[in-house]
Amino acid sequence: VGILYILAMVSLGVYGIVLAGWSSNNRWALLGGIRASAQMISYEIAMGLALIGAVLTYGTMDLQEITRAQSGMLFGMLPNWGIFYQPLAFLIFLTAGIAESKRAPFDLPEAEPELISGYFTEYSGAKQAVFMLVDFLESIIVAGLITTLFFGGWQVPMLYRDGIHFPWGSVIPLPSLVVTLMQVGAFTGKVFFFCWLQIMIRWTLPRFRYDQLMILGWKILLPAALLNVLITALAVLISESLK
């Protein structure tokens, strides 16, 4: 139940943020805590529905099994990665993941011009550092899940246990240690890329208004995620009936 466990643990962050804002006895911190809780709960729904599409596609919640299912090549040319099976789920998950980490352009809970620093206005030193660290750790978790679910995890195109297999039949044998190091490097590189992508989005896009934030979550991402689940379920049903 890998995906379910990760979602359960990440969801606990709402309690810490709400209690931090409420216990500060500061109106701006309280407003930031309320904003953060509403934002995280709203986007967790779309994020969970996006993951349901991946679970339906692979038939398991085990992250290792999902990664193994993405081995090989698609049509002999493309990597057999989840992005080609669930492109809409990837976009929804990426957007909801950035909103969950409360980074710009979704940093309404800590908007400096309006709320000073939001739910951790009254915190300084090590306590503030922990709040900041959690936000960046959430970004790394989102990058890791995107890599695992949609970009093959530690899979490298044409790389198998015994070496590199080209589509035209040639094989370059490699020691198992080299294959393992290549796979670890591939996973690490993909995670770094999606961390970089989130930072670039943060630096590029302006902050949403709060009403735009809620409209995006409830009127755009949620219906799109439900539509993706419906299409995926029909595709799985049709493929199973044809077997």
Side-chain angles (χ1 to χ4, degrees), residues 22 49 54 89 122:
W22 174 76
L49 288 172
E122 298 293 335

Side-chain angles (χ1 to χ4, degrees), residues 35-220:
R35 280 187 177 186
S37 61
Q39 176 175 321
M40 294 178 72
I41 292 171
S42 299
Y43 281 85
E44 276 176 4
I45 299 173
M47 177 184 286
L49 288 172
L51 292 179
I52 288 176
V55 170
L56 286 172
T57 301
Y58 297 109
T60 178
M61 289 190 290
D62 188 336
L63 296 176
Q64 287 281 3
E65 292 299 324
I66 291 175
T67 304
R68 293 189 185 100
Q70 298 178 69
S71 63
M73 302 295 290
L74 185 64
F75 306 121
M77 299 179 296
L78 299 173
N80 192 35
W81 291 349
I83 181 65
F84 300 110
Y85 296 96
Q86 291 286 312
L88 181 58
F90 161 70
L91 294 175
I92 295 171
F93 187 84
L94 176 62
T95 306
I98 296 174
E100 282 288 296
S101 64
K102 301 175 293 300
R103 297 290 88 195
F106 299 96
D107 59 337
L108 274 299
E110 53 193 68
E112 290 87 356
E114 308 160 34
L115 303 180
I116 309 174
S117 288
Y119 52 90
F120 55 85
T121 296
E122 298 293 335
Y123 294 87
S124 61
K127 294 180 180 179
Q128 182 183 1
V130 170
F131 279 113
M132 302 297 292
L133 181 63
V134 167
D135 289 345
F136 287 106
L137 284 176
E138 287 176 341
S139 300
I140 297 173
I141 292 172
V142 169
L145 286 175
I146 289 174
T147 298
T148 303
L149 296 170
F150 302 105
F151 286 87
W154 37 260
Q155 299 282 1
V156 180
M158 298 183 291
L159 180 65
Y160 292 85
R161 183 176 299 178
D162 57 344
I164 300 175
H165 292 236
F166 293 101
W168 51 86
S170 301
V171 179
I172 300 178
L174 294 173
S176 59
L177 178 60
V178 174
V179 172
T180 302
L181 291 176
M182 290 177 66
Q183 291 175 334
V184 171
F187 181 83
T188 305
K190 294 172 188 177
V191 171
F192 274 119
F193 171 78
F194 285 108
C195 289
W196 170 83
L197 179 62
Q198 292 178 75
I199 293 173
M200 290 300 295
I201 292 173
R202 176 184 179 183
W203 288 346
T204 304
L205 298 178
R207 180 185 297 129
F208 288 109
R209 293 198 316 266
Y210 194 74
D211 61 325
Q212 294 173 332
L213 179 80
M214 290 292 107
I215 288 173
L216 177 64
W218 289 103
K219 294 186 178 181
I220 298 177

